[in-house]
Amino acid sequence: MNKEDFFIKQIQNSKYNGDDGAFIDGYVYSMDAFFEDIHFKKEWIKEGNISLKQIAYKSMLVNISDAIAMNAKPKYALITIAIPKTYTQNELKELADGFKKAARDYDFEIIGGDTIENHKLDISITIISKTENPIYRKDVKIGDFICYTGKLGDSKKGLESLLKGQKIKKNSKFIKPKLRADFFYEASKYINSSMDISDGLFLDLEKLSIASNIGFEFFKDIKEEIGTSGEEYEILFSASLKNLKKIENIAKKHKVKLNYFAKAVKGSYKSGFSNHHFKN
Amino acid sequence: MNKEDFFIKQIQNSKYNGDDGAFIDGYVYSMDAFFEDIHFKKEWIKEGNISLKQIAYKSMLVNISDAIAMNAKPKYALITIAIPKTYTQNELKELADGFKKAARDYDFEIIGGDTIENHKLDISITIISKTENPIYRKDVKIGDFICYTGKLGDSKKGLESLLKGQKIKKNSKFIKPKLRADFFYEASKYINSSMDISDGLFLDLEKLSIASNIGFEFFKDIKEEIGTSGEEYEILFSASLKNLKKIENIAKKHKVKLNYFAKAVKGSYKSGFSNHHFKN
């Protein structure tokens, strides 16, 4: 067992654990870290590959993605930010602009947090979102069709280019994830189970398998560069055969590509891959 | 204006900002960072002055303190923790034990968060607490008596000893803050305004002055080592003359020392001191 899993096992004793967020009394609470050297490198900023505004924006989107995958609408955010003392007022303004743009784009309010000085830029965000119909990881039914939205692989390519010091496109999904909020909220009543793809499809399928106690029968081959691309923030979901047509129509309306690739069966699924986050 | 204040000014546009936590719909949301090199040094752990369990416990208490100062009871916590890869399973267990002890002692549940690998130990915590009668910083009335609980100064002395590489007592308030939960919840109906003392009495008085748009007339001299001692987590509050006797009786019952030292008057108050957090 890796150390992250070991630690999580130590403190997890709540029925609310195990999903992208914790659903309590109409609200979903989710929290994610976005740290320099772990989620981004300061060289990328210096090289002009990503701006501080984009970093702040992405740190928010990563968190909003959890809310959407549970069919919840972000209402409030708390931001804890550790900032190097070398940052200028302009750089601080850029960061603030990124957070504020996300709050505007997704219509929520920044209600608090903590600001401290640090050696590097480290962001932690808590999103409080609202839903009347939370969707969990544990509700995949035997016979469900398994699907992901959009196109996978771009984020991994983006990361690899950045790590080689190469330029990447401004609209790379690694810099600006495409969240499927409008599609998913509308389709939610036909969805049985869901989560966002943050660690890569293979690893996230393993989590879905454990949560729902099911295995998968693949009817499409998933290539390694697709299945191991993390930080995609597309949605992985399951639905019954009878709802597929309705979901497809909603997807068409919102111009979201759907990829059905497996059916839920008795058994379990092991990915054989480990977490994609690069180590230092 | 220092950088922290500048940044906070950039993103603060919510009516919920400005207190120890944000009160919305029966709940208080608060979030605080507890970072290596900022709030503690790894040398202190090596020297046996503070354990990882105590660090985890204090990181929780610092956050619970915000809830108590708003008269709210902690219900749920989210923990984002960045852990050096050199940490052993035993060390991870120690951290988890510290978090779990705080959750037991204050009767709340750890419902989620994020665990990542990092160069150093950085903890961010969000506490979701419940109250029917939130107490804010903005409600000091002219003529109110201003008071703090307990004894101030010990935390600063503890920090100074640690920074000199000296041993400190296991029960030093710098390692284990004394929160005044039972006293404050019972006294809350007689309290007009409150906050916890985290940056030091002088700086926190300045915040209270700004929030309530009042000044202070001191009838006791506050020594510098008292007024500049941060991370005390005692409670600073204001109350009307007619309620002082009732508050004192409740304090006596809970063996909490009260220190009335000023009256709220028209005007404003400037501390003349800056944040105590040591820089690297």
Side-chain angles (χ1 to χ4, degrees):
Chain A
M1 190 184 307
N2 72 43
K3 283 179 193 175
E4 288 172 32
D5 290 343
F6 176 83
F7 179 76
I8 292 164
K9 222 184 168 101
Q10 293 302 308
I11 57 167
Q12 260 186 7
N13 60 349
S14 163
K15 63 173 187 257
Y16 303 113
N17 295 134
D19 282 286
D20 288 18
F23 174 74
I24 300 173
D25 218 2
Y27 287 94
V28 169
Y29 302 102
S30 54
M31 189 181 192
D32 264 317
F34 203 73
F35 272 40
E36 184 173 315
D37 281 343
I38 310 302
H39 301 90
F40 63 93
K41 301 254 183 201
K42 70 172 172 221
E43 291 73 28
W44 303 350
I45 306 167
K46 279 192 204 139
E47 289 156 5
N49 263 320
I50 188 164
S51 68
L52 286 173
K53 183 174 175 182
Q54 286 170 325
I55 284 171
Y57 191 79
K58 184 176 173 186
S59 75
M60 278 287 208
L61 256 62
V62 163
N63 277 279
I64 295 165
S65 174
D66 287 327
I68 295 172
M70 290 196 70
N71 188 35
K73 293 194 176 161
K75 301 290 286 177
Y76 309 107
L78 296 149
I79 303 171
T80 285
I81 183 163
I83 308 177
K85 62 177 155 191
T86 52
Y87 276 35
T88 62
Q89 283 205 347
N90 251 350
E91 288 173 314
L92 298 182
K93 223 179 142 316
E94 259 200 80
L95 284 169
D97 285 348
F99 293 128
K100 284 191 288 189
K101 180 172 161 46
R104 268 197 316 274
D105 288 357
Y106 289 88
D107 194 25
F108 61 89
E109 228 175 305
I110 298 166
I111 57 167
D114 195 7
T115 307
I116 60 167
E117 214 176 87
N118 196 31
H119 314 293
K120 62 187 181 78
L121 180 66
D122 294 334
I123 302 168
S124 301
I125 292 176
T126 297
I127 297 279
I128 299 154
S129 48
K130 212 167 182 171
T131 182
E132 282 167 12
N133 171 31
I135 303 180
Y136 301 100
R137 296 180 182 175
K138 65 177 172 53
D139 293 329
V140 181
K141 306 275 172 280
I142 299 286
D144 269 10
F145 281 74
I146 312 293
C147 181
Y148 66 81
T149 59
K151 207 172 145 273
L152 299 181
D154 185 45
S155 183
K156 189 180 189 179
K157 273 186 216 147
L159 171 61
E160 283 167 354
S161 298
L162 285 167
L163 287 173
K164 283 185 217 149
Q166 295 168 350
K167 294 263 167 238
I168 65 168
K169 289 171 295 174
K170 280 269 172 264
N171 63 351
S172 161
K173 259 172 58 184
F174 186 80
I175 289 177
K176 195 182 173 183
K178 282 198 185 92
L179 305 187
R180 311 297 184 174
D182 294 338
F183 155 70
F184 201 67
Y185 294 142
E186 194 174 335
S188 62
K189 56 179 169 294
Y190 305 117
I191 307 281
N192 286 342
S193 203
S194 61
M195 63 185 293
D196 71 354
I197 300 177
S198 54
D199 289 339
L201 180 61
F202 292 152
L203 279 170
D204 291 326
L205 277 171
E206 190 175 314
K207 288 181 193 159
L208 199 64
S209 156
I210 293 167
S212 284
N213 193 26
I214 43 99
F216 304 111
E217 187 182 293
F218 289 81
F219 48 76
K220 265 187 199 164
D221 230 29
I222 310 275
K223 287 190 191 137
E224 190 176 319
E225 68 255 37
I226 300 297
T228 60
S229 182
E231 299 193 50
E232 288 282 352
Y233 304 106
E234 294 288 353
I235 300 176
L236 173 63
F237 68 85
S238 91
S240 325
L241 178 61
K242 67 174 199 295
N243 290 322
L244 294 193
K245 192 76 211 149
K246 289 167 203 146
I247 295 170
E248 264 167 36
N249 286 337
I250 297 166
K252 210 169 277 172
K253 177 177 152 192
H254 294 284
K255 301 195 174 70
V256 172
K257 191 185 172 213
L258 295 185
N259 311 272
Y260 290 98
F261 62 93
K263 260 179 79 172
V265 294
K266 274 189 188 170
S268 69
Y269 169 81
K270 252 330 254 147
S271 82
F273 289 91
S274 62
N275 197 296
H276 78 289
H277 276 149
F278 51 96
K279 313 293 178 186
N280 298 284
Chain B
M1 192 185 307
N2 72 43
K3 282 177 190 174
E4 287 173 33
D5 291 343
F6 176 83
F7 179 77
I8 292 164
K9 222 184 166 100
Q10 295 301 307
I11 56 166
Q12 260 186 5
N13 60 348
S14 163
K15 63 172 185 256
Y16 302 114
N17 294 134
D19 282 285
D20 289 16
F23 174 75
I24 301 173
D25 220 0
Y27 287 95
V28 169
Y29 302 103
S30 54
M31 188 181 193
D32 264 315
F34 203 74
F35 272 40
E36 186 174 314
D37 282 343
I38 311 301
H39 300 90
F40 64 92
K41 302 256 182 198
K42 70 172 171 223
E43 290 74 26
W44 303 349
I45 306 167
K46 280 192 205 139
E47 290 157 7
N49 263 320
I50 188 165
S51 69
L52 286 172
K53 183 174 176 183
Q54 286 170 325
I55 284 172
Y57 191 78
K58 184 175 173 183
S59 75
M60 278 286 208
L61 256 61
V62 163
N63 277 280
I64 295 165
S65 174
D66 287 328
I68 294 172
M70 291 196 69
N71 189 33
K73 292 193 178 163
K75 301 290 287 176
Y76 309 107
L78 296 149
I79 303 172
T80 286
I81 183 163
I83 309 177
K85 62 176 154 193
T86 52
Y87 276 34
T88 62
Q89 283 204 348
N90 251 350
E91 288 172 315
L92 298 181
K93 225 180 140 313
E94 260 198 80
L95 285 169
D97 285 347
F99 293 129
K100 285 191 287 188
K101 180 173 161 46
R104 268 197 318 272
D105 288 356
Y106 289 88
D107 195 23
F108 62 89
E109 229 175 306
I110 299 165
I111 58 167
D114 195 7
T115 307
I116 60 167
E117 212 177 270
N118 196 33
H119 313 293
K120 61 187 179 81
L121 179 65
D122 293 335
I123 303 167
S124 300
I125 293 175
T126 296
I127 297 280
I128 299 154
S129 47
K130 212 168 183 173
T131 182
E132 282 166 13
N133 170 33
I135 303 181
Y136 300 100
R137 295 181 184 176
K138 65 176 171 53
D139 293 328
V140 182
K141 307 275 172 279
I142 299 284
D144 269 9
F145 280 74
I146 313 296
C147 181
Y148 65 83
T149 58
K151 205 171 148 277
L152 300 180
D154 185 44
S155 182
K156 189 179 189 180
K157 273 186 218 149
L159 171 61
E160 284 167 352
S161 298
L162 285 166
L163 288 173
K164 284 185 217 150
Q166 295 166 350
K167 294 264 168 238
I168 65 167
K169 289 171 294 172
K170 280 270 172 264
N171 64 350
S172 161
K173 259 170 60 184
F174 186 80
I175 289 177
K176 195 181 174 185
K178 282 200 185 89
L179 305 186
R180 311 299 182 174
D182 293 337
F183 155 69
F184 200 67
Y185 294 142
E186 193 175 335
S188 63
K189 55 178 171 296
Y190 305 118
I191 307 281
N192 285 342
S193 203
S194 60
M195 64 186 293
D196 72 354
I197 300 176
S198 53
D199 289 340
L201 180 61
F202 292 152
L203 280 169
D204 290 327
L205 278 171
E206 189 175 315
K207 288 180 192 159
L208 199 63
S209 156
I210 293 167
S212 284
N213 194 25
I214 42 99
F216 303 111
E217 189 183 292
F218 289 81
F219 48 76
K220 266 188 199 162
D221 230 29
I222 310 274
K223 289 193 188 133
E224 192 177 320
E225 69 254 37
I226 300 297
T228 60
S229 182
E231 299 194 52
E232 287 282 352
Y233 304 107
E234 294 289 352
I235 301 175
L236 173 63
F237 68 85
S238 90
S240 326
L241 178 60
K242 67 173 198 297
N243 289 322
L244 295 193
K245 194 73 211 153
K246 289 167 203 146
I247 295 170
E248 265 167 37
N249 285 338
I250 298 166
K252 209 169 280 173
K253 176 177 153 193
H254 294 284
K255 298 195 178 70
V256 172
K257 191 185 172 213
L258 296 184
N259 311 273
Y260 289 99
F261 61 93
K263 261 179 79 172
V265 294
K266 275 190 185 169
S268 69
Y269 169 81
K270 261 316 260 149
S271 82
F273 289 91
S274 62
N275 197 297
H276 79 288
H277 277 149
F278 51 97
K279 315 292 180 189
N280 298 283

